[in-house]
Amino acid sequence: MNAPTTPEPPVVVIGAGPIGLAAAAHLVERGLEPLVLEAGPTAGSAVREWSHVRLFSRWAELVDPAAEKLLAPTGWVKPDGATYPTGGDWADRYLQPLAEALGDRVRYGARVTGVSRAGRDRVVDSGRDEQPFTVHLLGPDGREERLTARAVIDASGTWSTPGPLGGNGLPALGERAAADRIAYRVPDLRDPAVRARYAGRRTAVVGSGASAFTALAHLADLAGDEPGTHAVWILRRGLSEATYGGGEADQLPARGALGLRAKAAVEAGHASAVTGFRAQAVERTDEGLVLVGEDGRRLDPVDEVVVLTGLRPDLSHLAELRLGLDERLQAPTALAPLIDPNVHSCGTVYPHGVNELAHPEKDVYLVGMKSYGRAPTFLAMTGYEQVRSIAAALAGDREAAERVELTLPETGVCGGAGLFDEPETAESGAGGCCGAPATLRIGAGASSSGGC
């Protein structure tokens, strides 16, 4: 009598956002069994936190091909590919239906707290690659669980760990004490309570990417209705035409338009720029919050501060795995040179897959925004290509895994050249041209196009 066979463990995917769900769809297409663990209560929980933001990629660029095949038998109606959804639209009309099509392959309220090799901490060499993975998690009731996985794809993103106000990468002195007056997301000014917080007040917007552009555009719109509303745009670099991105030359037109809206806010007097300013401290005074720079400058008081200085990966649950990460970007070492903002501006990063995403620990992959570490240039289409390649590799189809099946849009005016955080270069107009292209977290207001 033959002994019963033990089913192969699933491929665990961390995060039910756009890239995590796409990973699951590609795995299913390849005949592999995924298990998606989502910390939040719904698909796209992080996306829903910026539901008011309109993406600056069209629907045609936001639906993964394998996901579309999985959705087709369900009666799902594909949105008009030429239109631009909000984050809420993306979650409701695509991510949630996709999660429902995957059925019980998606678990909600499952927060991953650790990943390791079964019976091996990161020190042990013996038999390491032959061991499956152990995934520790907390369920919705707080109960601890331990699962077994044949591979792990971490698509948990970077949304939960925004960058601080401090110019040295650490919180500025007094930043924590002033937390009630500091936000780290683009304000949703449709919410009456949020609108009241910023109406008729001076708000410092710290950052130079698309999130900052979006906040400036929102506050400029508010200034038209609420006299006294003003934004103080704080940049660590200089201000030039290059600051606003590709403009009309951008092959993602809504992305270019977003930069032009920020420029219009400055030219209309709704925002004033402070350049070459790296915050060291924030002081609470009777007149408001005073930002103090590393060079000793003290800015005029503001009522609120919106810090949009990028995001960074949470790697704490991967501490027992042998990851190969760049020491600056915290991105996979083979990928980091391709996305380094000290060298690359928007449009100069080419599609990549399993080879660039591999780690010393076999069959572990960081994908989506998380794969980019602290780099700000991620596009949804890039993530879809990443997981297509990884699923092919896990299925043993190396030829397909190493084949590029994606062409990314460029701005048409980018050349790299080390603009990142360099005031002198930016002001002279030398080198590249662009701020950060679309990411999974940013865009313009729901009244116009922006992010991803």
Side-chain angles (χ1 to χ4, degrees), residues 122-404:
R122 67 183 295 160
V123 176
V124 179
D125 291 333
S126 177
R128 187 175 192 86
D129 286 352
E130 289 71 44
Q131 296 299 313
F133 293 94
T134 297
V135 180
H136 289 218
L137 62 101
L138 290 177
D141 57 358
R143 184 170 59 89
E144 292 181 293
E145 292 185 54
R146 184 170 67 180
L147 305 176
T148 301
R150 61 158 291 190
V152 175
I153 299 174
D154 189 341
S156 59
T158 57
W159 176 256
S160 64
T161 46
L165 171 63
N168 60 359
L170 300 174
L173 299 177
E175 183 172 346
R176 293 186 180 90
D180 60 319
R181 307 285 287 278
I182 300 176
Y184 298 87
R185 314 296 189 197
V186 175
D188 182 0
L189 298 181
R190 302 172 308 172
D191 183 320
V194 176
R195 188 179 181 88
R197 176 173 175 174
Y198 296 96
R201 297 189 170 191
R202 284 170 53 85
T203 300
V205 176
V206 185
S208 59
S211 292
F213 293 168
T214 302
L216 292 169
H218 283 192
L219 291 169
D221 291 343
L222 182 61
D225 299 329
E226 299 286 350
T229 303
H230 187 78
V232 180
W233 186 16
I234 298 174
L235 301 100
R236 295 171 180 172
R237 62 185 76 181
L239 184 65
S240 70
E241 289 299 311
T243 305
Y244 301 105
E248 295 179 357
D250 200 320
Q251 289 186 26
L252 291 176
R255 181 172 66 187
L258 179 59
L260 295 178
R261 289 191 68 200
K263 181 180 180 182
V266 174
E267 292 178 344
H270 297 312
S272 53
V274 177
T275 61
F277 187 91
R278 291 172 171 82
Q280 176 176 275
V282 54
E283 299 176 358
R284 190 187 291 267
T285 71
D286 292 340
E287 291 76 31
L289 299 180
V290 173
L291 301 187
V292 182
E294 292 181 350
D295 58 2
R297 276 188 290 170
R298 298 173 62 86
L299 304 185
D300 291 338
V302 295
D303 301 295
E304 303 286 339
V305 180
V306 177
V307 179
L308 301 168
T309 55
L311 303 167
R312 53 186 60 176
D314 177 6
L315 301 168
S316 59
H317 58 279
L318 305 176
E320 291 304 319
L321 298 179
R322 297 176 177 180
L323 302 182
L325 298 175
D326 179 76
E327 66 274 9
R328 294 168 300 170
L329 299 184
Q330 296 177 291
T333 52
L335 176 60
L338 310 180
I339 61 175
D340 187 350
N342 292 289
V343 178
H344 294 278
S345 55
C346 47
T348 65
V349 178
Y350 66 81
H352 52 274
V354 68
N355 289 336
E356 292 83 1
L357 297 169
H359 292 278
E361 194 78 70
K362 184 174 179 288
D363 292 340
V364 169
Y365 301 97
L366 311 185
V367 299
M369 274 299 300
K370 191 150 194 177
S371 72
Y372 270 42
R374 299 191 182 202
T377 52
F378 181 76
L379 289 166
M381 292 182 291
T382 299
Y384 296 157
E385 173 68 0
Q386 289 178 340
V387 296
R388 181 205 63 78
S389 174
I390 290 168
L394 291 174
D397 188 348
R398 200 70 195 185
E399 187 277 330
E402 296 180 356
R403 184 174 62 237
V404 174

Side-chain angles (χ1 to χ4, degrees), residues 110-124:
R111 181 175 299 279
V112 174
T113 58
V115 181
S116 185
R117 289 283 184 181
R120 306 288 190 276
D121 62 23
R122 67 183 295 160
V123 176
V124 179

